[in-house]
Protein backbone atom coordinates (compact mmCIF):
# COMPACT_ATOMS: atom_id res chain seq x y z
CA UNK A 1 0.00 0.00 0.00
CA UNK A 2 1.66 3.20 -1.18
CA UNK A 3 -0.60 5.82 0.39
CA UNK A 4 -0.89 6.48 4.13
CA UNK A 5 -4.15 5.55 5.87
CA UNK A 6 -6.68 7.62 7.80
CA UNK A 7 -8.49 5.53 10.43
CA UNK A 8 -12.00 6.54 11.46
CA UNK A 9 -12.23 5.50 15.11
CA UNK A 10 -9.59 5.70 17.85
CA UNK A 11 -11.04 3.42 20.50
CA UNK A 12 -10.93 -0.37 20.90
CA UNK A 13 -11.32 -1.33 17.25
CA UNK A 14 -9.22 1.61 16.09
CA UNK A 15 -6.36 0.54 18.34
CA UNK A 16 -6.40 -3.00 16.95
CA UNK A 17 -6.57 -1.76 13.36
CA UNK A 18 -3.74 0.70 13.92
CA UNK A 19 -1.61 -2.13 15.30
CA UNK A 20 -2.41 -4.20 12.20
CA UNK A 21 -1.29 -1.46 9.83
CA UNK A 22 1.85 -0.73 11.85
CA UNK A 23 2.74 -4.44 11.89
CA UNK A 24 3.00 -4.20 8.09
CA UNK A 25 4.99 -0.93 8.19
CA UNK A 26 2.04 0.94 6.65
CA UNK A 27 2.03 4.65 7.47
CA UNK A 28 -1.08 5.86 9.30
CA UNK A 29 -1.60 9.59 8.66
CA UNK A 30 -3.99 10.13 11.57
CA UNK A 31 -7.04 8.82 13.40
CA UNK A 32 -10.40 10.58 13.64
CA UNK A 33 -12.86 10.10 16.49
CA UNK A 34 -16.02 11.92 17.59
CA UNK A 35 -14.99 11.71 21.26
CA UNK A 36 -13.62 15.20 21.95
CA UNK A 37 -11.53 13.91 24.87
CA UNK A 38 -9.46 11.87 22.39
CA UNK A 39 -8.93 14.68 19.89
CA UNK A 40 -5.51 16.27 20.19
CA UNK A 41 -4.05 13.14 21.80
CA UNK A 42 -1.91 10.40 20.28
CA UNK A 43 -2.46 6.66 19.93
CA UNK A 44 0.74 4.63 19.46
CA UNK A 45 2.42 7.90 18.44
CA UNK A 46 -0.21 8.63 15.75
CA UNK A 47 -2.29 11.82 16.23
CA UNK A 48 -6.07 11.81 16.77
CA UNK A 49 -6.98 14.92 14.78
CA UNK A 50 -10.75 15.47 14.65
CA UNK A 51 -14.24 14.12 14.04
CA UNK A 52 -14.99 11.19 11.74
CA UNK A 53 -16.80 13.57 9.34
CA UNK A 54 -13.94 16.12 9.12
CA UNK A 55 -14.30 17.27 5.51
CA UNK A 56 -10.87 18.90 5.35
CA UNK A 57 -9.11 15.65 6.18
CA UNK A 58 -11.48 13.36 4.29
CA UNK A 59 -10.88 15.29 1.08
CA UNK A 60 -7.39 13.72 1.11
CA UNK A 61 -8.98 10.35 0.39
CA UNK A 62 -8.39 8.85 -3.02
CA UNK A 63 -5.14 10.09 -4.51
CA UNK A 64 -3.32 10.96 -1.27
CA UNK A 65 -4.73 8.74 1.48
CA UNK A 66 -6.56 5.46 2.01
CA UNK A 67 -9.20 4.99 4.69
CA UNK A 68 -10.37 2.38 7.21
CA UNK A 69 -13.58 2.56 9.27
CA UNK A 70 -12.82 1.32 12.79
CA UNK A 71 -15.71 2.57 14.90
CA UNK A 72 -16.79 0.19 17.67
CA UNK A 73 -20.52 0.44 16.89
CA UNK A 74 -21.57 -1.78 13.97
CA UNK A 75 -24.33 0.50 12.70
CA UNK A 76 -21.97 3.48 12.76
CA UNK A 77 -19.33 1.44 10.90
CA UNK A 78 -21.83 0.67 8.16
CA UNK A 79 -23.17 4.23 7.86
CA UNK A 80 -19.67 5.75 7.72
CA UNK A 81 -18.67 3.25 5.03
CA UNK A 82 -21.73 4.22 2.99
CA UNK A 83 -20.94 7.92 3.48
CA UNK A 84 -17.36 7.44 2.25
CA UNK A 85 -18.57 5.68 -0.88
CA UNK A 86 -21.31 8.18 -1.73
CA UNK A 87 -19.61 11.46 -0.81
CA UNK A 88 -15.93 10.73 -1.41
CA UNK A 89 -16.01 7.71 -3.76
CA UNK A 90 -13.63 6.09 -1.26
CA UNK A 91 -13.62 2.35 -0.53
CA UNK A 92 -12.03 1.28 2.77
CA UNK A 93 -8.92 -0.89 2.54
CA UNK A 94 -8.40 -4.16 4.43
CA UNK A 95 -6.33 -4.23 7.62
CA UNK A 96 -4.69 -7.66 7.89
CA UNK A 97 -2.25 -8.11 10.74
CA UNK A 98 1.20 -9.26 9.72
CA UNK A 99 0.78 -12.41 11.86
CA UNK A 100 -2.63 -13.32 10.41
CA UNK A 101 -2.95 -16.10 7.84
CA UNK A 102 -5.30 -15.37 4.95
CA UNK A 103 -5.26 -17.97 2.18
CA UNK A 104 -4.64 -16.82 -1.36
CA UNK A 105 -7.91 -18.50 -2.37
CA UNK A 106 -10.02 -16.81 0.32
CA UNK A 107 -12.35 -14.03 -0.87
CA UNK A 108 -12.38 -10.73 1.01
CA UNK A 109 -14.48 -7.65 0.40
CA UNK A 110 -13.37 -4.17 1.51
CA UNK A 111 -12.65 -2.68 4.90
CA UNK A 112 -12.13 -5.95 6.79
CA UNK A 113 -9.93 -6.31 9.87
CA UNK A 114 -8.12 -9.62 10.42
CA UNK A 115 -6.38 -9.79 13.80
CA UNK A 116 -3.07 -11.36 14.84
CA UNK A 117 -2.89 -15.16 14.45
CA UNK A 118 -6.37 -15.30 12.92
CA UNK A 119 -6.79 -17.80 10.09
CA UNK A 120 -9.02 -17.43 7.03
CA UNK A 121 -8.85 -20.66 5.05
CA UNK A 122 -8.98 -21.03 1.27
CA UNK A 123 -12.53 -20.82 -0.21
CA UNK A 124 -13.79 -18.88 2.85
CA UNK A 125 -15.58 -15.62 2.02
CA UNK A 126 -15.85 -12.35 3.96
CA UNK A 127 -18.09 -9.47 2.90
CA UNK A 128 -17.29 -5.82 3.67
CA UNK A 129 -16.45 -4.27 7.03
CA UNK A 130 -16.03 -7.51 8.98
CA UNK A 131 -13.99 -7.70 12.17
CA UNK A 132 -12.16 -10.98 12.75
CA UNK A 133 -10.48 -11.02 16.16
CA UNK A 134 -7.11 -12.42 17.17
CA UNK A 135 -6.78 -16.22 16.95
CA UNK A 136 -10.20 -16.64 15.28
CA UNK A 137 -10.53 -19.31 12.56
CA UNK A 138 -12.79 -19.19 9.50
CA UNK A 139 -12.79 -22.64 7.90
CA UNK A 140 -13.21 -23.71 4.27
CA UNK A 141 -16.32 -22.55 2.42
CA UNK A 142 -17.55 -20.55 5.43
CA UNK A 143 -19.17 -17.23 4.52
CA UNK A 144 -19.31 -14.14 6.72
CA UNK A 145 -21.76 -11.38 5.81
CA UNK A 146 -20.86 -7.70 5.70
CA UNK A 147 -20.25 -5.87 9.00
CA UNK A 148 -20.29 -9.07 11.04
CA UNK A 149 -17.96 -9.40 14.02
CA UNK A 150 -16.08 -12.59 14.91
CA UNK A 151 -14.61 -12.47 18.42
CA UNK A 152 -11.10 -13.47 19.43
CA UNK A 153 -10.54 -17.22 19.37
CA UNK A 154 -13.91 -18.00 17.77
CA UNK A 155 -14.11 -20.94 15.34
CA UNK A 156 -16.41 -21.02 12.33
CA UNK A 157 -16.53 -24.56 10.96
CA UNK A 158 -16.64 -25.53 7.30
CA UNK A 159 -19.69 -24.31 5.35
CA UNK A 160 -20.90 -22.11 8.21
CA UNK A 161 -22.93 -19.09 7.08
CA UNK A 162 -22.86 -15.93 9.19
CA UNK A 163 -25.35 -13.20 8.28
CA UNK A 164 -24.81 -9.48 7.95
CA UNK A 165 -24.31 -7.48 11.17
CA UNK A 166 -24.11 -10.71 13.20
CA UNK A 167 -21.92 -11.03 16.30
CA UNK A 168 -19.99 -14.14 17.29
CA UNK A 169 -18.51 -13.84 20.79
CA UNK A 170 -14.96 -14.62 21.82
CA UNK A 171 -14.15 -18.32 21.95
CA UNK A 172 -17.48 -19.40 20.46
CA UNK A 173 -17.61 -22.47 18.22
CA UNK A 174 -20.06 -22.65 15.32
CA UNK A 175 -20.04 -26.23 14.07
CA UNK A 176 -19.85 -27.11 10.39
CA UNK A 177 -22.84 -26.23 8.26
CA UNK A 178 -24.71 -24.08 10.80
CA UNK A 179 -26.38 -20.84 9.64
CA UNK A 180 -26.27 -17.71 11.81
CA UNK A 181 -28.89 -15.16 10.73
CA UNK A 182 -28.56 -11.43 10.09
CA UNK A 183 -28.08 -9.41 13.31
CA UNK A 184 -28.00 -12.63 15.37
CA UNK A 185 -25.72 -12.75 18.42
CA UNK A 186 -23.76 -15.69 19.80
CA UNK A 187 -22.47 -15.36 23.35
CA UNK A 188 -18.81 -15.81 24.22
CA UNK A 189 -17.72 -19.42 24.66
CA UNK A 190 -20.93 -20.84 23.21
CA UNK A 191 -21.09 -23.98 21.07
CA UNK A 192 -23.66 -23.54 18.30
CA UNK A 193 -24.97 -26.81 16.88
CA UNK A 194 -28.23 -25.58 15.28
CA UNK A 195 -29.21 -22.69 13.01
CA UNK A 196 -29.84 -19.30 14.67
CA UNK A 197 -32.65 -17.16 13.17
CA UNK A 198 -32.25 -13.51 12.22
CA UNK A 199 -31.95 -11.23 15.25
CA UNK A 200 -31.86 -14.02 17.84
CA UNK A 201 -29.35 -14.18 20.72
CA UNK A 202 -28.05 -17.58 21.84
CA UNK A 203 -25.68 -18.63 24.60
CA UNK A 204 -24.34 -21.79 26.20
CA UNK A 205 -23.15 -25.30 25.33
CA UNK A 206 -25.13 -26.27 23.41
CA UNK A 207 -26.25 -22.72 22.62
CA UNK A 208 -29.92 -21.92 23.29
CA UNK A 209 -32.05 -18.80 22.91
CA UNK A 210 -31.78 -16.25 25.71
Amino acid sequence: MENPVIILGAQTVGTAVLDAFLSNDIVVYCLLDDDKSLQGTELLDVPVMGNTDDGELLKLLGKKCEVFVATDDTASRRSLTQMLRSEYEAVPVNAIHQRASVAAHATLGHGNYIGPNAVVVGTATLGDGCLVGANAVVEARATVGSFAQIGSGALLGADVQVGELAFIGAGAVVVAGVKIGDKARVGAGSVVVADVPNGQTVFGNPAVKV
Side-chain angles (χ1 to χ4, degrees):
M1 192 180 304
E2 295 182 1
N3 292 333
V5 181
I6 295 175
I7 298 175
L8 306 189
Q11 300 183 45
T12 305
V13 176
T15 302
V17 168
L18 174 59
D19 179 60
F21 283 127
L22 295 179
S23 76
N24 290 288
D25 296 323
I26 293 170
V27 175
V28 176
Y29 182 78
C30 69
L31 300 102
L32 303 177
D33 198 283
D34 295 336
D35 185 342
K36 286 185 166 51
S37 68
L38 296 175
Q39 296 169 12
T41 66
E42 290 188 345
L43 181 61
L44 305 182
D45 297 324
V46 178
V48 182
M49 296 181 67
N51 291 325
T52 55
D53 60 355
D54 189 318
E56 286 301 305
L57 287 167
L58 294 181
K59 71 181 181 182
L60 298 174
L61 301 180
K63 294 183 178 178
K64 294 183 178 180
C65 287
E66 306 292 347
V67 67
F68 190 97
V69 180
T71 53
D72 294 51
D73 178 69
T74 301
S76 171
R77 202 161 67 246
R78 182 170 63 170
S79 64
L80 281 170
T81 300
Q82 292 170 341
M83 178 273 290
L84 291 169
R85 291 186 183 219
S86 62
E87 296 185 22
Y88 296 94
E89 297 183 352
V91 176
V93 294
N94 288 320
I96 301 173
H97 197 281
Q98 191 268 337
R99 295 202 312 275
S101 176
V102 178
H105 297 290
T107 302
L108 272 61
H110 302 283
N112 294 298
Y113 163 72
I114 313 292
N117 302 314
V119 177
V120 180
V121 176
T123 68
T125 300
L126 273 60
D128 297 328
C130 298
L131 304 178
V132 180
N135 301 300
V137 177
V138 182
E139 291 282 10
R141 299 181 304 278
T143 60
V144 180
S146 294
F147 303 102
Q149 184 168 344
I150 312 300
S152 298
L155 170 62
L156 305 184
D159 298 300
V160 163
Q161 296 178 33
V162 176
E164 294 189 0
L165 302 163
F167 174 87
I168 310 296
V173 175
V174 183
V175 302
V178 165
K179 297 179 181 178
I180 308 295
D182 296 344
K183 298 184 179 179
R185 299 179 66 83
V186 174
S190 298
V191 178
V192 186
V193 298
D195 294 353
V196 180
N198 293 345
Q200 190 171 100
T201 298
V202 298
F203 179 76
N205 180 9
V208 295
K209 181 182 177 180
V210 295

